Structures are given as C-alpha cells and as structure tokens.
Amino acid sequence: MSNRLKQEKSPYLQQHKDNPVDWFPWGPEAFRKAESEQKPVFLSIGYSTCHWCHVMAQESFEDPGIAALLEDFVCIKVDREERPDIDAVYMAVCQSLTGSGGWPLTIFMTPQQKPFFAGTYFPKTSRYGQAGLTQLLKQISHLWKTEREKLTASGEQIAYALQKAQAAAEGEPEPALLYQGCRLLRQSFDPKWGGFGAAPKFPTPHNLLFLMRMYEQERDPDMLEMAETTLKAMALGGIFDQIGGGFSRYSTDKMWLVPHFEKMLYDNALLILAYLEAFQITKNPFYAGIARRTADYILEELTDQDGGFFCGQDADSGGVEGKYYVFTPDEIRSVLGRADGEEFCRIYGITQEGNFEGKSIPNRIGRKNEGWEADDPRLTRLKDYRKARVRLHLDHKILLSWNGWAIAALARAGRILGESRYAQAAGKAVSFIRGRMTDEKDRLYLRWCDGEAAYAGQLDDYAVYTLALIELYQATFEIGYLREAVRRGEQMILLFEEKSGGYVMTSHDAEKLIAPMKETYDGAIPSGNSAAQMALEMLAGLTGEATFREAANRQHRFMAGQIRNYPAAHCFSLAAMMLPLYPHRELLIAAKRLPEAAVLYLREHPAHNLSILFKSEGSQDTLSQTAPFTKSYPLSQTPLYYLCENGVCHAPVGEWEELSL
C-alpha cells in the first residue's frame, strides 16, 4: 500500500510513502479533514539523512499497530528542509515546553494548528523511564475525547506565548557586545580539543569566523588560538572524512573522533570559509589543504550535473550507521597490500580492537602530519573501494539557501586558492538558480527536486543568495553578480522586513502560520536575520546607496536588542556588526583589466573591511546603475585607484603599492 506522500518530491516524504500510516503532506486538505472529523493532528517533522528519524520510522511508522492507533489523528509529515518555516514554529514550541529540541520532532495539535504537546523521538513502547509512542497515542486520544477543552485552551495559550515571544526589542550596536561574545566563548572553550561546550560537539564555523575576525582587529592571540585549536582538532579527527574529504555533522565525543556520520552541504560550505580564513591569517598550508579537500568533496559527491548542489549524504548505509566509513586492518591490507596497508593503519589509527563498534574510523589524532599527504594515492584507492563496497543514500534536493553557502564558499576558494574550477562551479550554480529556481515574476523558489521547483523562497534564501552573489563578484568582478545581489537585497527588504524591526522568515504574502517567526539564533547555520544583516552591510559598502545603509543600520539595532542576553549564540551577527564598528575602506579600481596586484592582494589578505569595485569599459554602464557614485570616476589608459577610508577620500594613485592597504 502507499499513502498520499507518494505524490511528493521530497526524499524524506518519499521514505514514508509506503508506511501503513495515512500520512498527509502539510496543506489545507489535512486541516479540513481534521476540522470536519474533529480529530487532533499528529505532526511529524524530520529530514532524509536523520538517523533517529529512520529509527522512529522503522520502529513505529512501519508498524500496523501504531498505524491503527494513529487513525484517531490526522497525520502530517513535513520535511524540515523544504518547510523551515513550519519547523521553526514547532521547534520553538518544543524548546519552550521541554527545554530542548531536535529531530524527529513530534507535535500534537488542534485542527487550528495550535500545539498542546511536543517532543522529539519516542520509542514504540515505554522504556527506561521514557514514554513510548504507543502509550502516548492512547493517552492523548483519550484526553481529546474526555478533556478536549483543556487541550484546546492549552494550545491557545502556547500559540499566544509564541506570538508574544516574537516582539522586537532594539539595542545599540557597540563593541561591548563583541567583547562579551568573546568572553562567553572563552568560558565554554575546550582548551585541549577545541570546540565549545561538552559533547556532542558541533563545528559551528561561524563562531570560528567571528573569533578570527576579532583577532584580525584586536590582535588578541586568545581569539586565534581558540579558532586554530578547534580547526586542527576537527581536521585530525574522525569528524573529517580522512579518505574522501568533507565533514560529518557533529562529533559524539569531545575529541572529534566518533561523528554522527551524516554529511550536510551547509556544514561543509561554512567550514571551507573557516579554513580559508585561517589559511589567509596564518599562511599555514594545512588549512588550505583541508579547505581544498572539502571543496573537492562537494564537487565530487554533492553536485548535480546541471550545477546545483545536493543537500547531503545519510549517516546510514545498509541500515547500519557509519558502515560506509569504518574499516578493519585486514580490509585495509586487502586493498593496499601488506606493507602499504600496515603503514596506513598506523597513520590513520586502524586497529584490531577498533574505535567504533569493533571497527575503526580513520583519524590522525595524536599523529598530526606524520606520513600524511593529501594526494596520497592510497586514499584514492580506498575511496574507490569504499564506494564499490556500499553506497550512501543521497538527499538530492537542491535548497537555495544551502546552495548560497556553497556558492560563497567555492567562490572564495577559487579566489584564495587560485583555482578557477571552484569559482566556475559557483558560477554554474548561480546559472542553475537563475534558470530553474526563479519564477516569471523574478521571485526565488526554496527547493528544486526531480525537475520541479517548489515553495516560495524564504528569508534565508534571499539573504544567503545575496551574500553568495557578492562573494562571486569579489572573486570574478563580473558586474552581473553585483547587479543581481542588489536586486535580491532590495527584494529582501520589501518582502521580509517588518515595521517593528527585523525580518520574518516568510514573505508578507506567504501562508500564515500561528506565529510569524523572526529567527536570530545562529545554530548549525547562521540565522536568516544574521545573514540579512551581513548582506545589507556589504551592499551598503559596495553601492554607497542610502537605502542599504539605512536598512543595515535598522537591522544592526534590531539584532543588538535580540542578542544582548547571550551574544555568543549569535556570532555571525557579531561578525556583521563588526563591519560598522571598526574602520572600513572603499576602493574603486578603474582600469582596462583587473590588475594582478589586486588579485594577489585578495588572495593573500582577509579583506572584510575593504569594499572593492572594478570599473572597466565593459562594466562602467552597469556599475553606474548599480553603484551610482561611480559614474563620475573616469577611465584612463593606465589603472587608477580611488581609496576612501572612514568617510575620507584620498587622491587617486596609479600604483597599487601607493595605497598602503
């Protein structure tokens, strides 16, 4: 048998299409049925590479007994990656009611979408003090029949509290917020293994980017030490795929050895940015090598033939978590031969006793660069063997905001590593978005899958895509990217900014949920509001337009009010706030072709406090429309450099060395 999910494109929903549960996708049909039959709604939210989502599905949703109990409910399945707005609403409910959250997310609510119970994973039957889904379904079904008014009143109260929580409070952007963010990160920092807090440990690359940018401005060695300790420990641990490149989502232990094996596009994109930044600051080629191997992983495993980037790869293979990644010494020797195999086992910690369920996750903890080369042919042989041995499930959705992070990372990798293939891949992805994920009104779609674009773009899509276009402009100086970044920034302000301050997740003309969400917390990914803050500030610096300067100032004030209680949880916002709080320079290069000195400078130096525009005969008309202040700057036979600093413009010079950057 199959249910209504068989019509859906989402790989996650497709995983549930043959359940005996009578699933509905989110939509009016499900809520009409709940209303007409006066049934509560059972909402289950997850994603296709989620290990515990698979466990709950196998234990419960494939079980006819559970399906029979769920007949008392209208059952809705949501892919959180396709509908981050729905996930944000009900995750906020779960966190407020239980103090924690995660996936699978389990919600019981009224036909009017008002939640009265929330949780995450539930086993089929109660065990070790944890409620089982069987007992929970029976209890809530009974309460709905006998005490419905109490459940309905509870749902109303929860919805009202969620709406009140979205109220905006402004503050003043000031260095004290930055310093407090650094202090809080230092307090939770693990000085031996890096990272912040206890296990499980997440990479949170935006925390590291903020610390490195604070080091660049303040020259406090503690800031760089925290970032470098973390970056080195992750790269040597099992969270980094030593054989195939790329990072898993998080580590279950403090030393980054045993990961939760799923690999996500956004983690890898953001980590590329962090390792590139470390390389530019320290000139240590180790960081460049990790960035390169991670970028290569994206190109090899997560890239559609038409240019878009897929969501990620599953933790499970053959129904076993981590099976794809682990080895025994005998297996290594059988592939590489005795001598090479034994040396590889020594370098990568492959032992007879193993470090994960009797087998070994390759790692270099305690061995650093001993005998290691990124282009070691043994890695290629093992990678090919691993692919032939067992395959990973691929979530082949293409999400616009996650593609934005990948475009930004690959564009910067192309610029800093001097490898044009990365910038070319970023440009191809932009072409994919322009051709496949843009509607006839020039609005963006959130998702592409199996030939179909769906769901109106949300704040994250516009904000991160704008950042990606800016990054690609800075890598190529092709004016079309900057022009589109300006257009997307203008759309973002129009569609998502609220008069009370901040940006809501969904556009003003989108489906209305029980509360308009304004996400500001930088979790695994920077929030839409943080990304918008960064995009607006960068657009203001590049275009000189008052529209963007005023919008950026409004967003800085809004975010200052939101983050003041715990700024360390909003590090991408802090990085955006640094731009107006520290000295900033604007440079216009007027020349027939981009001078090699400029290319080399941008390759070797972090330039977050420098906005560069390039004016040539081919770009001057479009540049004048995009950044009108450039219209009066003349072209000449030789390059001219116009530098402004902290509101003061200097006389133009003809040699790069005269700029004193």
Side-chain angles (χ1 to χ4, degrees):
M1 65 175 294
S2 59
N3 52 52
R4 292 168 182 83
L5 301 184
K6 68 176 183 272
Q7 306 296 334
E8 297 298 308
K9 298 289 188 181
S10 158
Y12 177 62
L13 300 188
Q14 282 291 309
Q15 288 170 352
H16 294 269
K17 66 181 175 61
D18 296 320
N19 292 168
V21 177
D22 185 22
W23 291 114
F24 284 77
W26 181 279
E29 182 186 0
F31 293 106
R32 281 196 298 266
K33 180 178 174 66
E35 183 73 47
S36 64
E37 297 181 9
Q38 284 300 290
K39 288 183 175 180
V41 172
F42 174 79
L43 172 64
S44 177
I45 303 177
Y47 57 103
S48 77
T49 58
C50 167
H51 171 68
W52 285 102
C53 298
H54 298 330
V55 173
M56 192 167 177
Q58 292 163 3
E59 288 180 345
S60 296
F61 300 142
E62 295 174 8
D63 181 76
I66 292 290
L69 294 174
L70 283 169
E71 289 176 2
D72 288 344
F73 303 82
V74 171
C75 301
I76 298 176
K77 249 310 167 189
V78 167
D79 183 338
R80 76 168 184 101
E81 294 168 355
E82 286 195 335
R83 292 302 303 267
D85 52 334
I86 297 170
D87 180 61
V89 167
Y90 295 103
M91 185 60 71
V93 169
C94 183
Q95 290 169 336
S96 66
L97 294 181
T98 70
S100 63
W103 299 276
L105 179 60
T106 303
I107 301 289
F108 292 87
M109 59 186 180
T110 69
Q112 292 74 40
Q113 306 177 17
K114 308 291 177 63
F116 54 80
F117 182 90
T120 52
Y121 162 77
F122 291 95
K124 181 181 173 182
T125 57
S126 300
R127 65 188 185 201
Y128 313 126
Q130 183 180 14
L133 187 61
T134 300
Q135 293 73 28
L136 186 61
L137 291 171
K138 290 178 179 178
Q139 182 181 10
I140 290 181
S141 179
H142 174 72
L143 290 173
W144 184 259
K145 293 169 184 174
T146 59
E147 299 184 44
R148 186 178 308 179
E149 288 184 1
K150 287 185 178 179
L151 295 182
T152 301
S154 177
E156 293 288 346
Q157 292 170 358
I158 291 168
Y160 177 71
L162 186 63
Q163 291 163 3
K164 283 193 68 177
Q166 302 306 306
E170 286 195 353
E172 192 62 36
E174 55 185 356
L177 287 171
L178 309 179
Y179 304 146
Q180 177 68 355
C182 292
R183 283 194 294 270
L184 291 167
L185 289 173
R186 189 185 285 110
Q187 288 170 11
S188 64
F189 177 66
D190 180 342
K192 182 174 183 180
W193 298 108
F196 305 93
K201 281 183 176 176
F202 291 80
T204 52
H206 36 288
N207 290 6
L208 307 178
L209 287 167
F210 165 64
L211 287 170
M212 286 186 282
R213 293 183 188 185
M214 283 296 286
Y215 168 76
E216 291 171 49
Q217 295 292 348
E218 299 286 346
R219 293 295 160 179
D220 182 342
D222 281 357
M223 305 298 101
L224 185 58
E225 182 184 358
M226 284 191 279
E228 282 205 87
T229 300
T230 305
L231 290 168
K232 288 176 181 175
M234 288 193 299
L236 297 175
I239 192 173
F240 180 67
D241 181 359
Q242 304 293 336
I243 291 173
F247 288 83
S248 294
R249 185 163 171 257
Y250 63 86
S251 174
T252 61
D253 61 279
K254 64 183 179 181
M255 57 196 291
W256 308 102
L257 173 61
V258 180
H260 184 46
F261 290 92
E262 69 198 62
K263 284 179 174 177
M264 309 304 291
L265 176 64
Y266 58 79
D267 284 322
N268 284 283
L270 286 160
L271 282 163
I272 290 170
L273 294 174
Y275 280 94
L276 289 172
E277 193 124 342
F279 170 58
Q280 281 194 306
I281 294 171
T282 67
K283 312 304 181 189
N284 185 342
F286 172 77
Y287 298 125
I290 299 299
R292 184 178 286 107
R293 293 196 68 202
T294 306
D296 287 345
Y297 162 73
I298 291 177
L299 295 187
E300 291 172 14
E301 300 286 352
L302 298 182
T303 304
D304 176 75
Q305 62 180 2
D306 294 324
F309 301 113
F310 301 129
C311 286
Q313 291 176 306
D314 206 336
D316 297 5
S317 48
V320 179
E321 183 180 11
K323 180 179 179 181
Y324 182 81
Y325 295 100
V326 295
F327 291 89
T328 63
D330 287 344
E331 198 173 13
I332 296 291
R333 285 191 289 263
S334 72
V335 177
L336 301 180
R338 175 167 293 278
D340 272 354
E342 289 181 356
E343 184 184 16
F344 188 91
C345 288
R346 179 181 60 80
I347 295 170
Y348 287 92
I350 312 295
T351 62
Q352 203 63 46
E353 61 273 18
N355 54 37
F356 180 75
E357 299 179 357
K359 296 187 177 182
S360 293
I361 303 164
N363 71 91
R364 293 184 288 127
I365 297 172
R367 287 172 291 277
K368 298 187 179 178
N369 290 337
E370 178 191 354
W372 175 81
E373 294 292 341
D375 57 355
D376 187 338
R378 292 174 298 191
L379 295 173
T380 302
R381 288 163 63 188
L382 284 168
K383 183 167 66 172
D384 292 342
Y385 165 77
R386 193 173 67 174
K387 286 182 179 179
R389 182 182 64 174
V390 63
R391 293 294 294 177
L392 291 171
H393 163 71
L394 174 71
D395 186 334
H396 63 283
K397 295 192 313 297
I398 293 172
L399 299 177
L400 198 151
S401 65
W402 295 12
N403 270 247
W405 289 120
I407 291 165
L410 290 170
R412 193 177 297 180
R415 171 166 61 87
I416 294 172
L417 301 178
E419 297 194 30
S420 59
R421 62 195 178 99
Y422 296 135
Q424 288 168 1
K428 189 174 180 181
V430 168
S431 296
F432 181 93
I433 291 166
R434 288 170 174 170
R436 309 285 180 87
M437 302 184 72
T438 307
D439 69 14
E440 64 279 358
K441 296 181 180 178
D442 198 34
R443 298 268 291 265
L444 299 172
Y445 285 107
L446 187 150
R447 183 270 282 161
W448 172 273
C449 189
D450 291 338
E452 177 195 77
Y455 308 114
Q458 299 184 9
L459 172 61
D460 291 57
D461 302 301
Y462 283 83
V464 181
Y465 185 46
T466 300
L467 286 175
L469 290 163
I470 293 171
E471 199 70 50
L472 198 47
Y473 173 71
Q474 293 175 331
T476 66
F477 288 99
E478 293 182 20
I479 188 58
Y481 294 129
L482 182 58
R483 179 177 59 187
E484 187 176 359
V486 167
R487 187 164 77 252
R488 298 307 175 193
E490 290 170 344
Q491 285 180 316
M492 182 179 71
I493 296 169
L494 179 66
L495 294 172
F496 301 98
E497 189 178 18
E498 286 217 317
K499 291 182 179 178
S500 60
Y503 288 69
V504 288
M505 285 188 70
T506 54
S507 63
H508 301 310
D509 56 358
E511 172 190 359
K512 303 302 180 189
L513 301 176
I514 59 171
M517 299 299 292
K518 293 181 187 175
E519 286 201 310
T520 59
Y521 168 68
D522 294 333
I525 311 178
S527 71
N529 270 284
S530 294
Q533 183 183 5
M534 182 71 79
L536 291 168
E537 182 61 42
M538 294 181 77
L539 286 172
L542 285 164
T543 68
E545 287 294 272
T547 299
F548 290 124
R549 169 50 52 214
E550 292 164 2
N553 291 342
R554 292 194 299 271
Q555 187 65 355
H556 288 312
R557 290 193 296 270
F558 167 75
M559 291 301 289
Q562 301 302 302
I563 73 177
R564 58 190 174 195
N565 291 332
Y566 199 82
H570 307 82
C571 282
F572 201 73
S573 174
L574 293 177
M577 206 172 287
M578 289 178 69
L579 295 176
L581 289 175
Y582 286 95
H584 191 275
R585 295 166 293 178
E586 300 84 31
L587 174 65
L588 176 72
I589 303 171
K592 289 184 175 181
R593 62 183 61 86
L594 189 67
E596 185 64 21
V599 175
L600 291 175
Y601 181 87
L602 288 171
R603 183 174 299 169
E604 295 174 1
H605 297 84
H608 311 299
N609 63 343
L610 177 64
S611 298
I612 299 182
L613 293 171
F614 174 51
K615 182 173 184 176
S616 65
E617 290 180 359
S619 69
Q620 61 180 331
D621 292 341
T622 305
L623 184 62
S624 295
Q625 297 167 8
T626 305
F629 78 91
T630 65
K631 189 174 183 178
S632 59
Y633 288 71
L635 288 168
S636 67
Q637 293 300 311
T638 57
L640 282 174
Y641 302 97
Y642 299 86
L643 180 66
C644 299
E645 191 169 6
N646 301 325
V648 177
C649 292
H650 304 288
V653 297
E655 298 293 337
W656 181 268
E657 292 73 18
E658 297 179 69
L659 289 171
S660 301
L661 292 174

